Amino acid sequence: KNEVEQSPQNLTAQEGEFITINCSYSVGISALHWLQQHPGGGIVSLFMLSSGKKKHGRLIATINIQEKHSSLHITASHPRDSAVYICAVALGAGSYQLTFGKGTKLSVIP
Amino acid sequence: NAGVTQTPKFRILKIGQSMTLQCAQDMNHNYMYWYRQDPGMGLKLIYYSVGAGITDKGEVPNGYNVSRSTTEYFPLRLELAAPSQTSVYFCASSYSKGYDLDEQFFGPGTRLTVL
């Protein structure tokens, strides 16, 4: 069974700080997703990656397939980044299911 | 595009009642999913569909049924509601070719309480 572990569970940062959220998984995967869940409950997809690194604005996602580990970085954090960040993995080719981590709750204080 | 829409937003059911959670997408996505999110837990897949007329069970299908007669709609049916089905339900969709899953687009969620 694939397990997805995120750390930390909760994170409080000052505005402007560099933030890192980690995700580890236990079996081989075909892709990893990072999602953001807003305080109101809505969920949006941030990244989908299977190797290397992706960048979108102040967000950067990296993945190391050999180490079964991914990180989500937020540069120059802002209070509007406050949300729950969720890591999810897709198993090998032919799997239609995502396994989700429990999320990391980020609070950015002005 | 409206994206993925869900109705209702909130619902309270009594034990033993039935209801249908509605989900629609206007992006012509072939894949659709139903998830539930319980406090402190990760999202769990209930059912999914890879196209009209094709559905399959996810990780937690007991107590639920689905149908997909068209590309756009993917309703989730709860029969004989139980307190254990109190949760937030999310519908999602994606466009996938072959074996590669693409990013998923989520609806706003339905908060269901069974008393």
Side-chain angles (χ1 to χ4, degrees):
Chain A
K1 182 182 175 183
N2 191 32
E3 300 288 340
V4 178
E5 298 289 336
Q6 288 187 235
S7 63
Q9 281 187 299
N10 293 282
L11 181 57
T12 300
Q14 291 289 131
E15 183 173 355
E17 283 187 4
F18 180 84
I19 288 162
T20 296
I21 298 170
N22 298 298
C23 175
S24 297
Y25 50 92
S26 56
V27 300
I29 64 169
S30 59
L32 183 142
H33 298 243
W34 280 104
L35 308 164
Q36 180 191 55
Q37 185 165 26
H38 299 293
I43 300 173
V44 296
S45 177
L46 297 175
F47 295 103
M48 187 185 72
L49 64 166
S50 54
S51 64
K53 174 178 171 179
K54 286 191 176 181
K55 184 175 189 288
H56 181 69
R58 295 179 295 105
L59 301 178
I60 303 165
T62 63
I63 188 168
N64 185 317
I65 296 294
Q66 285 74 29
E67 295 186 4
K68 297 185 175 60
H69 180 269
S70 175
S71 293
L72 177 69
H73 305 287
I74 305 175
T75 61
S77 59
H78 190 276
R80 65 174 174 266
D81 297 325
S82 298
V84 175
Y85 292 84
I86 301 169
C87 171
V89 299
L91 299 181
S95 171
Y96 304 116
Q97 300 193 29
L98 292 179
T99 301
F100 293 80
K102 295 180 181 179
T104 294
K105 184 175 181 181
L106 171 66
S107 301
V108 181
I109 300 169
Chain B
N1 285 352
V4 181
T5 57
Q6 290 183 240
T7 57
K9 285 189 169 55
F10 305 93
R11 184 72 185 269
I12 298 174
L13 282 182
K14 293 183 180 178
I15 294 171
Q17 287 186 318
S18 300
M19 77 164 294
T20 299
L21 281 66
Q22 301 292 345
C23 174
Q25 53 93 8
D26 62 358
M27 296 173 283
N28 202 33
H29 285 170
N30 49 349
Y31 286 27
M32 295 187 76
Y33 314 83
W34 274 106
Y35 297 99
R36 59 178 287 172
Q37 185 179 42
D38 299 320
M41 302 298 291
L43 287 147
K44 302 275 188 201
L45 181 66
I46 305 171
Y47 270 95
Y48 66 96
S49 169
V50 301
I54 306 170
T55 63
D56 206 349
K57 296 177 181 178
E59 186 178 354
V60 289
N62 291 346
Y64 307 95
N65 277 302
V66 294
S67 60
R68 189 149 178 226
S69 56
T70 66
T71 300
E72 296 81 10
Y73 300 101
F74 190 41
L76 178 71
R77 178 82 177 162
L78 277 73
E79 304 283 0
L80 299 175
S84 60
Q85 293 177 304
T86 295
S87 190
V88 181
Y89 292 83
F90 288 96
C91 179
S93 71
S94 66
Y95 180 72
S96 297
K97 289 182 181 180
Y99 294 123
D100 294 327
L101 294 181
D102 207 343
E103 70 168 308
Q104 295 190 14
F105 294 79
F106 286 79
T110 295
R111 186 175 295 273
L112 175 67
T113 302
V114 182
L115 300 173

